[in-house]
Amino acid sequence: MIVMKFGGSSVESAEAIDRVASIVRSHRDRHPLVVVSAMGKTTNRLLEMAEVAVKGESREALRLCGELKTFHETNFRKDSVVDEIFDRLSKLLEGLSILGEMTPRSIDAVSSFGESLSSYIVTQRFVDCGLNAAHADSRHFVVTDDRHTQANPDYTRTRERLQRLPDGIVVMGGFIGSTAEGVTTTLGRGGSDFSASIIGACCDAEEIQIWTDVDGILTADPRVIPGGHRVKEISFAEAAELAYFGAKVLHPSTVVPAIQKNIPVLILNSRRPESPGTRIRSESVSCANAVKSIACKTNITVVDIRSTRMLMAHGFLRRIFEVFDHHRTSVDMVTTSEVSVSLTIDNTTRLPAILSDLREFAEAEPAGDQAIICLVGENIRSTPGIASRAFGTVGGANIRMISQGASRLNLSFVVAGKDLRAAVESLHAEFFSTLDPAVFE
């Protein structure tokens, strides 16, 4: 059995879904289980109408809901089940308008409609295309804790429930699950990849395929510079570093269940299914190049924290990270000296409160519009001169922070957002002027 996950761009229209049906048909002898994201930008649209509703503008929220219904009917057909789903959404929006607030639980309830719709629509389209497809509501099979908007899976209960899947080519929505009590939860933005990996691990799949709109992992982020080279094979460790530091082709959590079960993951292009994509495997991948890929993370904020009073003081770092933990804000990079700490965050929702707490015991100043550049490759640990080559190449950019991860698989640094493109272009020319043909295409 294989798990095939298709992202939002792969199921954004009737034409796109028909391409997916053709791809699934070509793999049906491998007993595929299909996981789909919401169609196009549906999740964003759902959250937008919810925000409008909590402001008391129920009429506008329902108008937006009607537009979304038309979009789904245009890309499918009028259907009583789709009508029922949108009736439930309308009632939820009316309730939010009365309450006037959004809780993590209500955010999950609203955003879950995208995958509920797409999984049902894709199933029916598969049937129309002659496939023996069956719909399975992920909320009945993927069990999580109650950490709404970022739920963690309960693998034992999920494995037990997945034994009761219907026959045929099963289609499930990614991103969503429920608590053991049946309350809807989500796995976080981009969590459909994670869903595929959870389901693959719990079903002992022979392979997990992530179908997207690019040919696999590339040597540079195509959103920053075009013309990167396809990476044929990469290790789980390298892929995890790339995912964490901004490679949008893969959700950061995806590889975790796959690593634990030693299940290979393939990144493939639904618009060019003939492309072999990128294979992620547990073993190291021998390569003549020092660097496998360059990842980027944009819209980063650097927080500089300084206190001469804390010079050599025990517990300074602990106090800093307690503040970020209290405000549930993750830190990407950290650099320290005796009297100062600089760190980066990509979620500034709680930044004012974080700064207020930090300023009780230190000076704290933020700098926005920064970017992390991350060179990833297992050869970084054993190749001398990587840092001097990298920093010499981007000499025109002001580097604010430098970090080499404990894994020694990456070399990361922070530059101003305006310098990102030029820096990545220079680095790509430096490290990929020649290519190992066994690893790159």
Side-chain angles (χ1 to χ4, degrees), residues 31 48 66 69 121 136 176 189 220 222-223 226-227 245-246 256-257 266 270 284-285 308 332 357 417:
H31 307 290
E48 177 189 358
K69 182 179 181 182
I121 287 172
I176 56 176
R189 298 303 294 269
R223 297 166 303 164
F245 283 102
V256 176
L266 272 69
S270 63
S284 296
V285 178
T308 54
D332 290 325
D357 288 355

Side-chain angles (χ1 to χ4, degrees), residues 207-355:
E207 187 174 275
I208 298 167
Q209 298 178 355
I210 307 294
W211 291 83
T212 180
D213 54 5
V214 293
D215 284 348
I217 294 175
L218 305 178
T219 50
D221 190 328
R223 297 166 303 164
V224 179
I225 63 167
H229 308 284
R230 180 175 65 88
V231 182
K232 297 177 183 178
E233 287 195 323
I234 197 168
S235 70
F236 276 132
E238 291 168 321
E241 295 282 352
L242 287 170
Y244 185 77
F245 283 102
K248 295 297 186 185
V249 74
L250 194 67
H251 187 270
S253 300
T254 298
V255 293
V256 176
I259 288 172
Q260 293 171 343
K261 299 289 289 191
N262 196 25
I263 301 171
V265 177
L266 272 69
I267 311 297
L268 300 159
N269 189 346
S270 63
R271 290 187 172 89
R272 286 187 1 103
E274 69 277 7
S275 173
T278 297
R279 185 177 185 84
I280 304 172
R281 67 185 204 188
S282 57
E283 306 88 0
S284 296
V285 178
S286 177
C287 182
N289 289 65
V291 176
K292 287 275 180 65
S293 184
I294 304 170
C296 309
K297 206 167 188 179
T298 56
N299 299 317
I300 295 297
T301 296
V302 174
V303 182
D304 294 318
I305 306 161
R306 187 174 185 276
S307 176
T308 54
R309 292 182 293 110
M310 300 302 292
L311 177 65
M312 303 297 289
H314 175 72
F316 184 41
L317 284 174
R318 175 182 56 78
R319 290 188 68 182
I320 290 172
F321 287 107
E322 281 178 346
V323 171
F324 287 88
D325 179 63
H326 174 71
H327 292 289
R328 292 178 176 260
T329 300
S330 298
V331 172
D332 290 325
M333 281 178 56
V334 182
T335 60
T336 66
S337 71
E338 289 190 66
V339 295
S340 66
V341 175
S342 294
L343 48 80
T344 67
I345 59 174
D346 62 6
N347 179 359
T348 58
T349 305
R350 304 299 302 277
L351 182 58
I354 289 169
L355 293 173

Side-chain angles (χ1 to χ4, degrees), residues 42-246:
T42 295
T43 302
N44 290 338
R45 296 171 72 176
L46 286 165
L47 293 175
E48 177 189 358
M49 66 182 72
E51 289 171 1
V52 170
V54 297
K55 293 177 183 177
E57 301 173 20
S58 60
R59 183 173 298 179
E60 175 62 12
L62 292 175
R63 185 189 69 78
L64 293 171
C65 181
E67 286 184 352
L68 188 63
K69 182 179 181 182
T70 300
F71 167 75
H72 282 80
E73 288 179 341
T74 300
N75 287 287
F76 177 47
R77 62 170 180 250
K78 292 184 179 295
D79 180 277
S80 60
V81 175
V82 174
D83 285 342
E84 181 185 337
I85 292 172
F86 275 100
D87 284 345
R88 293 204 307 270
L89 176 57
S90 297
K91 290 176 182 176
L92 178 55
L93 292 171
E94 290 172 345
L96 289 174
S97 180
I98 295 170
L99 290 173
E101 66 173 341
M102 282 276 282
T103 64
R105 178 168 171 168
S106 61
I107 290 172
D108 278 355
V110 171
S111 55
S112 70
F113 279 87
E115 276 72 15
S116 294
L117 282 161
S118 66
S119 57
Y120 173 74
I121 287 172
V122 169
T123 304
Q124 298 308 309
R125 194 82 187 181
F126 279 9
V127 172
D128 291 345
C129 292
L131 293 172
N132 178 27
H135 179 246
D137 188 332
S138 296
R139 293 170 296 183
H140 299 159
F141 296 93
V142 179
V143 185
T144 73
D145 61 15
D146 61 357
R147 188 185 179 194
H148 290 283
T149 75
Q150 286 188 320
N152 297 303
D154 181 329
Y155 288 97
T156 300
R157 286 176 170 167
T158 299
R159 176 181 285 271
E160 290 173 354
R161 294 197 183 184
L162 287 170
Q163 305 305 310
R164 303 194 293 270
L165 284 170
D167 294 330
I169 297 172
V170 175
V171 181
M172 303 175 68
F175 175 60
I176 56 176
S178 69
T179 65
E181 294 73 33
V183 178
T184 298
T185 56
T186 68
L187 300 168
R189 298 303 294 269
S192 289
D193 288 354
F194 193 19
S195 293
S197 195
I198 293 165
I199 293 166
C202 290
C203 292
D204 297 317
E206 65 179 82
E207 187 174 275
I208 298 167
Q209 298 178 355
I210 307 294
W211 291 83
T212 180
D213 54 5
V214 293
D215 284 348
I217 294 175
L218 305 178
T219 50
D221 190 328
R223 297 166 303 164
V224 179
I225 63 167
H229 308 284
R230 180 175 65 88
V231 182
K232 297 177 183 178
E233 287 195 323
I234 197 168
S235 70
F236 276 132
E238 291 168 321
E241 295 282 352
L242 287 170
Y244 185 77
F245 283 102

